[in-house]
Amino acid sequence: MTEPALIELDEVSKYYGNIRALEGVSLEVHAGEITCVLGDNGAGKSTLIKIIAGLHQHDAGSFSIEGEPARLAKPRDALDRGIATVYQDLAVVPLMPVWRNFFLGSEPTKGVGPFKRLDVQLMRETTRTELLRMGIDLRDVDQPIGTLSGGERQCVAIARAVHFGAKVLVLDEPTAALGVKQSGVVLKYVAAARDAGLGVVLITHNPHHAFLVGDRFVLLKRGRMSGSHTKGSVTLDELTRQMAGGSELDDLRHELERASGPGGDDPA
C-alpha cells in the first residue's frame, strides 16, 4: 500500500471578488521528492503558497494533508501540521546573531521562576550542529545574520525548518535574487532537505534550477495549470518552452520576422 501524499491539492480554486487568482490547480507533494511550481509574475504562485501556508483558504476543490481533508485557518495550523514556509524576503532580524535567528520565537530556557533565562549555550551548540548536519559550515554562529550572503541566509532558514520537524518545506523563489554560484549552493541544500525525507515545494520562475532538482513540475499561467509533468516525462527544452509561452513565443517570432522582413519597417 502506497503512502498518501504529504500534501495534495485537487482542482483547487481561489477567487478575490471577481478576480480569479487560481482555478483548477492540482499538485502532489511526496516525502523525499521536490515538486517545482513554475510560472511568471501573476501566474498564481503566491496565492498557491498562501493556501498551503494557511494564510488563505481555498474556495473550491480539495486540499489534503497526509490523506486527510484539511482547511487551514492560520499559519500556525500549517506549522502544527508540519508545513514550514520560507518566504523570499526571509523572516530574519539582520542585527541578531545567527543562533538567535535560528531559534526566533522558539527559544529554549533554563532555570525556574525569577531565575528563568534563555539557554544561550544550547542554542549556539544546536545551531552549529544542525547547520553542519546539513553541510553548512559557518565561521561563527555569533555573527549577525545580516552579514551572511543571501544564499547562506536561505540555507540557515532551510536548516531551521528541518530542525523544527517540518515534513513539508515550501520555498518561495529561493534563488531569485542570487547569482549562479549562490543559487547552486541553495539548490544543494534544497536537495539535502529532500534527502532528509522532507517533501519540498520549490516555487520558481527558473526552469533550469527546477530541472536540476525537481521530481515533479507544475506550470502555472494566469492562475491556471498550463502543464504537469514528472522528471522522466519532460525535457529541459520542453519545460523551458512551456514556461516561456510555447506557441505564443512562436507567434511572436513570426510577427517579428514579418516586421523586419521584405516590405517591413526595418530601419536602414
Side-chain angles (χ1 to χ4, degrees), residues 159-184:
R160 182 185 193 277
V162 172
H163 172 70
F164 283 103
K167 296 179 182 178
V168 176
L169 181 61
V170 183
L171 299 167
D172 175 22
E173 298 274 10
T175 61
L178 305 179
V180 174
K181 186 175 180 180
Q182 288 280 316
S183 294

PDB file of all heavy atoms in Angstrom, residues 159-184:
ATOM      1  N   ALA A 159      17.722  24.845   7.117  1.00  0.00           N
ATOM      2  CA  ALA A 159      18.176  24.019   8.245  1.00  0.00           C
ATOM      3  C   ALA A 159      17.261  24.196   9.449  1.00  0.00           C
ATOM      4  O   ALA A 159      16.975  23.241  10.180  1.00  0.00           O
ATOM      5  CB  ALA A 159      19.615  24.378   8.612  1.00  0.00           C
ATOM      6  N   ARG A 160      16.794  25.418   9.666  1.00  0.00           N
ATOM      7  CA  ARG A 160      15.883  25.701  10.784  1.00  0.00           C
ATOM      8  C   ARG A 160      14.584  24.901  10.633  1.00  0.00           C
ATOM      9  O   ARG A 160      14.103  24.294  11.598  1.00  0.00           O
ATOM     10  CB  ARG A 160      15.579  27.200  10.817  1.00  0.00           C
ATOM     11  CG  ARG A 160      14.683  27.634  11.969  1.00  0.00           C
ATOM     12  CD  ARG A 160      14.339  29.109  11.848  1.00  0.00           C
ATOM     13  NE  ARG A 160      13.747  29.614  13.076  1.00  0.00           N
ATOM     14  CZ  ARG A 160      12.474  29.500  13.400  1.00  0.00           C
ATOM     15  NH1 ARG A 160      11.642  28.878  12.586  1.00  0.00           N
ATOM     16  NH2 ARG A 160      12.018  29.983  14.544  1.00  0.00           N
ATOM     17  N   ALA A 161      14.024  24.900   9.430  1.00  0.00           N
ATOM     18  CA  ALA A 161      12.778  24.169   9.189  1.00  0.00           C
ATOM     19  C   ALA A 161      12.963  22.674   9.420  1.00  0.00           C
ATOM     20  O   ALA A 161      12.105  22.008  10.010  1.00  0.00           O
ATOM     21  CB  ALA A 161      12.291  24.437   7.767  1.00  0.00           C
ATOM     22  N   VAL A 162      14.106  22.136   8.966  1.00  0.00           N
ATOM     23  CA  VAL A 162      14.380  20.711   9.164  1.00  0.00           C
ATOM     24  C   VAL A 162      14.491  20.407  10.662  1.00  0.00           C
ATOM     25  O   VAL A 162      13.929  19.426  11.160  1.00  0.00           O
ATOM     26  CB  VAL A 162      15.683  20.308   8.424  1.00  0.00           C
ATOM     27  CG1 VAL A 162      16.074  18.877   8.781  1.00  0.00           C
ATOM     28  CG2 VAL A 162      15.511  20.449   6.921  1.00  0.00           C
ATOM     29  N   HIS A 163      15.199  21.260  11.397  1.00  0.00           N
ATOM     30  CA  HIS A 163      15.401  21.036  12.833  1.00  0.00           C
ATOM     31  C   HIS A 163      14.086  21.023  13.604  1.00  0.00           C
ATOM     32  O   HIS A 163      13.906  20.211  14.520  1.00  0.00           O
ATOM     33  CB  HIS A 163      16.323  22.109  13.403  1.00  0.00           C
ATOM     34  CG  HIS A 163      16.429  22.068  14.908  1.00  0.00           C
ATOM     35  ND1 HIS A 163      17.070  21.047  15.575  1.00  0.00           N
ATOM     36  CD2 HIS A 163      15.928  22.899  15.877  1.00  0.00           C
ATOM     37  CE1 HIS A 163      16.987  21.257  16.888  1.00  0.00           C
ATOM     38  NE2 HIS A 163      16.302  22.371  17.092  1.00  0.00           N
ATOM     39  N   PHE A 164      13.176  21.920  13.241  1.00  0.00           N
ATOM     40  CA  PHE A 164      11.928  22.025  13.988  1.00  0.00           C
ATOM     41  C   PHE A 164      10.840  21.075  13.489  1.00  0.00           C
ATOM     42  O   PHE A 164       9.655  21.255  13.773  1.00  0.00           O
ATOM     43  CB  PHE A 164      11.436  23.478  13.995  1.00  0.00           C
ATOM     44  CG  PHE A 164      12.203  24.345  14.977  1.00  0.00           C
ATOM     45  CD1 PHE A 164      13.182  25.216  14.533  1.00  0.00           C
ATOM     46  CD2 PHE A 164      11.968  24.251  16.333  1.00  0.00           C
ATOM     47  CE1 PHE A 164      13.913  25.993  15.433  1.00  0.00           C
ATOM     48  CE2 PHE A 164      12.682  25.018  17.244  1.00  0.00           C
ATOM     49  CZ  PHE A 164      13.655  25.893  16.788  1.00  0.00           C
ATOM     50  N   GLY A 165      11.244  20.050  12.751  1.00  0.00           N
ATOM     51  CA  GLY A 165      10.345  18.940  12.463  1.00  0.00           C
ATOM     52  C   GLY A 165       9.423  19.107  11.282  1.00  0.00           C
ATOM     53  O   GLY A 165       8.392  18.434  11.205  1.00  0.00           O
ATOM     54  N   ALA A 166       9.775  19.965  10.346  1.00  0.00           N
ATOM     55  CA  ALA A 166       8.925  20.122   9.167  1.00  0.00           C
ATOM     56  C   ALA A 166       8.866  18.825   8.362  1.00  0.00           C
ATOM     57  O   ALA A 166       9.868  18.126   8.226  1.00  0.00           O
ATOM     58  CB  ALA A 166       9.447  21.259   8.293  1.00  0.00           C
ATOM     59  N   LYS A 167       7.689  18.517   7.872  1.00  0.00           N
ATOM     60  CA  LYS A 167       7.531  17.401   6.935  1.00  0.00           C
ATOM     61  C   LYS A 167       7.503  17.921   5.503  1.00  0.00           C
ATOM     62  O   LYS A 167       7.913  17.236   4.571  1.00  0.00           O
ATOM     63  CB  LYS A 167       6.228  16.647   7.222  1.00  0.00           C
ATOM     64  CG  LYS A 167       6.169  15.962   8.570  1.00  0.00           C
ATOM     65  CD  LYS A 167       4.830  15.272   8.745  1.00  0.00           C
ATOM     66  CE  LYS A 167       4.717  14.606  10.112  1.00  0.00           C
ATOM     67  NZ  LYS A 167       3.374  13.979  10.284  1.00  0.00           N
ATOM     68  N   VAL A 168       6.975  19.142   5.369  1.00  0.00           N
ATOM     69  CA  VAL A 168       6.883  19.787   4.061  1.00  0.00           C
ATOM     70  C   VAL A 168       7.579  21.138   4.144  1.00  0.00           C
ATOM     71  O   VAL A 168       7.328  21.914   5.067  1.00  0.00           O
ATOM     72  CB  VAL A 168       5.417  19.978   3.625  1.00  0.00           C
ATOM     73  CG1 VAL A 168       5.342  20.747   2.303  1.00  0.00           C
ATOM     74  CG2 VAL A 168       4.712  18.640   3.504  1.00  0.00           C
ATOM     75  N   LEU A 169       8.450  21.410   3.201  1.00  0.00           N
ATOM     76  CA  LEU A 169       9.166  22.673   3.149  1.00  0.00           C
ATOM     77  C   LEU A 169       8.762  23.399   1.879  1.00  0.00           C
ATOM     78  O   LEU A 169       8.954  22.897   0.773  1.00  0.00           O
ATOM     79  CB  LEU A 169      10.677  22.412   3.157  1.00  0.00           C
ATOM     80  CG  LEU A 169      11.612  23.615   3.121  1.00  0.00           C
ATOM     81  CD1 LEU A 169      11.403  24.498   4.347  1.00  0.00           C
ATOM     82  CD2 LEU A 169      13.065  23.147   3.048  1.00  0.00           C
ATOM     83  N   VAL A 170       8.163  24.593   2.037  1.00  0.00           N
ATOM     84  CA  VAL A 170       7.742  25.404   0.896  1.00  0.00           C
ATOM     85  C   VAL A 170       8.738  26.550   0.749  1.00  0.00           C
ATOM     86  O   VAL A 170       8.919  27.346   1.673  1.00  0.00           O
ATOM     87  CB  VAL A 170       6.320  25.965   1.097  1.00  0.00           C
ATOM     88  CG1 VAL A 170       5.869  26.739  -0.150  1.00  0.00           C
ATOM     89  CG2 VAL A 170       5.339  24.836   1.403  1.00  0.00           C
ATOM     90  N   LEU A 171       9.373  26.636  -0.409  1.00  0.00           N
ATOM     91  CA  LEU A 171      10.404  27.646  -0.648  1.00  0.00           C
ATOM     92  C   LEU A 171       9.946  28.598  -1.745  1.00  0.00           C
ATOM     93  O   LEU A 171       9.698  28.186  -2.887  1.00  0.00           O
ATOM     94  CB  LEU A 171      11.720  26.975  -1.056  1.00  0.00           C
ATOM     95  CG  LEU A 171      12.307  26.034  -0.003  1.00  0.00           C
ATOM     96  CD1 LEU A 171      13.427  25.189  -0.618  1.00  0.00           C
ATOM     97  CD2 LEU A 171      12.843  26.823   1.174  1.00  0.00           C
ATOM     98  N   ASP A 172       9.829  29.873  -1.380  1.00  0.00           N
ATOM     99  CA  ASP A 172       9.328  30.901  -2.300  1.00  0.00           C
ATOM    100  C   ASP A 172      10.494  31.568  -3.023  1.00  0.00           C
ATOM    101  O   ASP A 172      11.191  32.407  -2.452  1.00  0.00           O
ATOM    102  CB  ASP A 172       8.525  31.936  -1.491  1.00  0.00           C
ATOM    103  CG  ASP A 172       8.067  33.107  -2.339  1.00  0.00           C
ATOM    104  OD1 ASP A 172       7.979  32.951  -3.572  1.00  0.00           O
ATOM    105  OD2 ASP A 172       7.799  34.188  -1.771  1.00  0.00           O
ATOM    106  N   GLU A 173      10.725  31.170  -4.281  1.00  0.00           N
ATOM    107  CA  GLU A 173      11.765  31.786  -5.116  1.00  0.00           C
ATOM    108  C   GLU A 173      13.103  31.923  -4.372  1.00  0.00           C
ATOM    109  O   GLU A 173      13.649  33.026  -4.268  1.00  0.00           O
ATOM    110  CB  GLU A 173      11.297  33.173  -5.580  1.00  0.00           C
ATOM    111  CG  GLU A 173      10.036  33.176  -6.438  1.00  0.00           C
ATOM    112  CD  GLU A 173      10.323  32.960  -7.913  1.00  0.00           C
ATOM    113  OE1 GLU A 173      11.480  32.618  -8.259  1.00  0.00           O
ATOM    114  OE2 GLU A 173       9.401  33.105  -8.713  1.00  0.00           O
ATOM    115  N   PRO A 174      13.655  30.833  -3.836  1.00  0.00           N
ATOM    116  CA  PRO A 174      14.865  30.958  -3.012  1.00  0.00           C
ATOM    117  C   PRO A 174      16.098  31.426  -3.776  1.00  0.00           C
ATOM    118  O   PRO A 174      17.050  31.907  -3.167  1.00  0.00           O
ATOM    119  CB  PRO A 174      15.063  29.542  -2.466  1.00  0.00           C
ATOM    120  CG  PRO A 174      14.423  28.657  -3.473  1.00  0.00           C
ATOM    121  CD  PRO A 174      13.231  29.429  -3.972  1.00  0.00           C
ATOM    122  N   THR A 175      16.095  31.294  -5.122  1.00  0.00           N
ATOM    123  CA  THR A 175      17.278  31.680  -5.893  1.00  0.00           C
ATOM    124  C   THR A 175      17.046  32.938  -6.720  1.00  0.00           C
ATOM    125  O   THR A 175      17.913  33.330  -7.506  1.00  0.00           O
ATOM    126  CB  THR A 175      17.702  30.541  -6.840  1.00  0.00           C
ATOM    127  OG1 THR A 175      16.632  30.273  -7.765  1.00  0.00           O
ATOM    128  CG2 THR A 175      18.017  29.268  -6.069  1.00  0.00           C
ATOM    129  N   ALA A 176      15.908  33.618  -6.526  1.00  0.00           N
ATOM    130  CA  ALA A 176      15.521  34.716  -7.419  1.00  0.00           C
ATOM    131  C   ALA A 176      16.540  35.847  -7.452  1.00  0.00           C
ATOM    132  O   ALA A 176      16.830  36.401  -8.505  1.00  0.00           O
ATOM    133  CB  ALA A 176      14.154  35.253  -7.017  1.00  0.00           C
ATOM    134  N   ALA A 177      17.078  36.208  -6.282  1.00  0.00           N
ATOM    135  CA  ALA A 177      17.974  37.373  -6.219  1.00  0.00           C
ATOM    136  C   ALA A 177      19.440  36.964  -6.123  1.00  0.00           C
ATOM    137  O   ALA A 177      20.280  37.779  -5.740  1.00  0.00           O
ATOM    138  CB  ALA A 177      17.593  38.245  -5.021  1.00  0.00           C
ATOM    139  N   LEU A 178      19.750  35.711  -6.481  1.00  0.00           N
ATOM    140  CA  LEU A 178      21.111  35.204  -6.292  1.00  0.00           C
ATOM    141  C   LEU A 178      21.820  34.976  -7.620  1.00  0.00           C
ATOM    142  O   LEU A 178      21.188  34.728  -8.652  1.00  0.00           O
ATOM    143  CB  LEU A 178      21.072  33.882  -5.512  1.00  0.00           C
ATOM    144  CG  LEU A 178      20.356  33.913  -4.157  1.00  0.00           C
ATOM    145  CD1 LEU A 178      20.387  32.518  -3.540  1.00  0.00           C
ATOM    146  CD2 LEU A 178      20.998  34.926  -3.218  1.00  0.00           C
ATOM    147  N   GLY A 179      23.153  35.060  -7.572  1.00  0.00           N
ATOM    148  CA  GLY A 179      23.951  34.737  -8.741  1.00  0.00           C
ATOM    149  C   GLY A 179      24.058  33.232  -8.940  1.00  0.00           C
ATOM    150  O   GLY A 179      23.499  32.448  -8.170  1.00  0.00           O
ATOM    151  N   VAL A 180      24.801  32.836  -9.970  1.00  0.00           N
ATOM    152  CA  VAL A 180      24.890  31.420 -10.336  1.00  0.00           C
ATOM    153  C   VAL A 180      25.480  30.578  -9.204  1.00  0.00           C
ATOM    154  O   VAL A 180      24.932  29.534  -8.826  1.00  0.00           O
ATOM    155  CB  VAL A 180      25.731  31.246 -11.621  1.00  0.00           C
ATOM    156  CG1 VAL A 180      25.941  29.759 -11.925  1.00  0.00           C
ATOM    157  CG2 VAL A 180      25.059  31.931 -12.799  1.00  0.00           C
ATOM    158  N   LYS A 181      26.601  31.023  -8.632  1.00  0.00           N
ATOM    159  CA  LYS A 181      27.267  30.240  -7.592  1.00  0.00           C
ATOM    160  C   LYS A 181      26.400  30.128  -6.350  1.00  0.00           C
ATOM    161  O   LYS A 181      26.226  29.038  -5.782  1.00  0.00           O
ATOM    162  CB  LYS A 181      28.614  30.874  -7.254  1.00  0.00           C
ATOM    163  CG  LYS A 181      29.443  30.038  -6.281  1.00  0.00           C
ATOM    164  CD  LYS A 181      30.821  30.635  -6.066  1.00  0.00           C
ATOM    165  CE  LYS A 181      31.635  29.781  -5.102  1.00  0.00           C
ATOM    166  NZ  LYS A 181      32.981  30.343  -4.865  1.00  0.00           N
ATOM    167  N   GLN A 182      25.827  31.257  -5.897  1.00  0.00           N
ATOM    168  CA  GLN A 182      24.974  31.255  -4.710  1.00  0.00           C
ATOM    169  C   GLN A 182      23.733  30.397  -4.944  1.00  0.00           C
ATOM    170  O   GLN A 182      23.289  29.676  -4.044  1.00  0.00           O
ATOM    171  CB  GLN A 182      24.564  32.685  -4.366  1.00  0.00           C
ATOM    172  CG  GLN A 182      25.690  33.521  -3.794  1.00  0.00           C
ATOM    173  CD  GLN A 182      25.920  33.232  -2.319  1.00  0.00           C
ATOM    174  OE1 GLN A 182      24.979  33.127  -1.554  1.00  0.00           O
ATOM    175  NE2 GLN A 182      27.175  33.077  -1.937  1.00  0.00           N
ATOM    176  N   SER A 183      23.176  30.460  -6.140  1.00  0.00           N
ATOM    177  CA  SER A 183      21.996  29.637  -6.460  1.00  0.00           C
ATOM    178  C   SER A 183      22.330  28.159  -6.353  1.00  0.00           C
ATOM    179  O   SER A 183      21.542  27.362  -5.830  1.00  0.00           O
ATOM    180  CB  SER A 183      21.490  29.948  -7.879  1.00  0.00           C
ATOM    181  OG  SER A 183      21.009  31.268  -7.967  1.00  0.00           O
ATOM    182  N   GLY A 184      23.531  27.796  -6.840  1.00  0.00           N
ATOM    183  CA  GLY A 184      23.956  26.407  -6.751  1.00  0.00           C
ATOM    184  C   GLY A 184      24.066  25.934  -5.315  1.00  0.00           C
ATOM    185  O   GLY A 184      23.693  24.800  -4.989  1.00  0.00           O
TER     186      GLY A 184
END
